[in-house]
Amino acid sequence: MGQLVNSLSGAIQLTVTDQLNRPVRDLRISLTDRCQFRCTYCLPAEHVDVMRQQSQSENCLSFNEITAVIKVFARLGVNKIKLTGGEPLLRKNVADLVSDIKSITGIEEVALTTNAGLLGQVLDDLVDAGLDRITISLDALEQTLFEQITGTQFQVEQILNSIDQCLDSKLKKVKVNCVVQKGINENQVIPLLKHFRGTGVVVRFIEYMDVGNLNNWKASEVVNSKDLLDQINNRWPIKPKNATHVGEVADRFIFNDGQGEFGMISSISQPFCHDCNRARLSTRGEIFTCLFANQGHNIKPLLNQPEQLLQAISQIWCNRADQYSALRQKNLKQENKTKKIEMFVIGG
Ligand code: SAM
Ligand code: SF4
Ligand code: SF4
């Protein structure tokens, strides 16, 4: 059951758990709901008009407002921040935000997820500001397929160059996310691993998820991670690797020949709601307690009142009972046509 417990001698650190006894540890922040890409599974090109109606920059939380929210979450035990979107690097001066976040007591790690379109110009500043980790989305090595999936003519070569730049930097971890869609890019799994094996980059294959409504998701378009693992194991023998922390979303695997590791994010076939400790903050100042939520909690009016904000966020977390993917797997959510928040709004 949800509880709010005073802990630690400093009396400023609180522990809050939700209805399923899960603490909050990870905050994902959508810096913008705009994006220059039009990935078919996230923001399909035919819905560009919808994008125009998304928040204008004046409605976005300022960096000061974002850090005010992070300070409160840090008091509740959040130690990891992920900056995402939309495309987070469409916001100017993200490095300033990174350095502000790094100075907040309790925050141990700041990560960024990006399509890398604008990364080359700002990577050095981000690293100097203290960014710890980066995840770059790349669904195909093949240029034509990449263009088909992302709705852009951006060059794969340029993304690969940005990844190399990341590897040469002081970043602690460089990951690549690949959303696998049946009949679309399954054939990119082996080439992606072949390209990144032995480089230190951890590729993570994500089962295509039913986030939002615009992508018109169908279960038949999902490639089960187990099938991919068989395929990979046939090419390069692999073995599982233990998780390093509670709430880790990816199952990790190591190549037996010592050429590194990769991950599988299997939200559809093997949901991980039981230890989900992630909260999300939208660019409009709403807290979401699940990726599949159909509504958020507006905390914008409380941003200048830290104690009231703390109470409000604690209450939101205490009331949380989300386990969408676990319920979906039990078929309770089959043929679910409810209105959900889009991925580019809620923050991936
Ligand atoms: N624009 C940035 C990017 O693409 O990396 C950050 C935001 S994006 C929403 C975050 C991650 O969500 C990306 O790795 C993307 O591939 C993933 N994603 C988006 N829609 C998805 C879906 N329907 N199923 C699974 N992953 C999805
Ligand atoms: Fe943009 Fe990222 Fe969504 Fe692709 S996945 S449309 S890059 S926000
Ligand atoms: Fe967490 Fe919701 Fe995903 Fe379950 S479905 S793992 S509760 S975000």
Side-chain angles (χ1 to χ4, degrees), residues 34-44 85-88 114-115 137 139 149-150 179 343-344:
R34 290 177 296 128
C35 188
Q36 78 279 47
F37 283 22
R38 291 289 176 271
C39 301
T40 51
Y41 50 73
C42 177
L43 176 51
E87 174 45 43
T114 175
N115 59 31
S137 298
D139 301 316
I149 295 171
T150 59
V179 177
M343 180 72 119
F344 55 88

Side-chain angles (χ1 to χ4, degrees), residues 9 16 23 47 52 74 117 141 231 234 287 330 342-343 345:
S9 49
V16 59
H47 295 291
R52 288 212 191 96
L141 281 181
Q231 204 185 321
N234 282 338
I287 302 285
K330 289 178 191 162
E342 297 300 325
M343 180 72 119
V345 173

Side-chain angles (χ1 to χ4, degrees), residues 99-128:
S99 97
D100 290 346
I101 299 173
K102 289 291 283 189
S103 69
I104 296 174
T105 307
I107 300 303
E108 292 165 11
E109 192 177 280
V110 181
L112 173 85
T113 303
T114 175
N115 59 31
L118 297 164
L119 184 60
Q121 305 159 30
V122 290
L123 179 65
D124 290 346
D125 291 343
L126 290 168
V127 174
D128 289 347

Side-chain angles (χ1 to χ4, degrees), residues 173-244:
K173 193 64 131 189
V174 182
K175 295 180 193 164
V176 162
N177 272 359
C178 170
V179 177
V180 185
Q181 291 178 278
K182 188 164 270 177
I184 306 281
N185 64 338
E186 290 157 288
N187 64 356
Q188 297 298 291
V189 169
I190 296 292
L192 277 165
L193 285 176
K194 189 172 173 206
H195 184 90
F196 289 112
R197 258 167 49 91
T199 64
V201 172
V202 175
V203 183
R204 301 171 338 151
F205 298 103
I206 308 177
E207 286 179 347
Y208 174 32
M209 294 186 283
D210 51 334
V211 190
N213 302 93
L214 296 182
N215 59 18
N216 197 22
W217 180 91
K218 293 179 197 66
S220 58
E221 295 165 335
V222 178
V223 181
N224 191 312
S225 293
K226 284 206 178 97
D227 296 341
L228 290 184
L229 282 173
D230 288 344
Q231 204 185 321
I232 297 166
N233 192 44
N234 282 338
R235 177 69 190 263
W236 302 284
I238 53 172
K239 60 183 175 222
K241 185 181 177 190
N242 287 339
T244 52

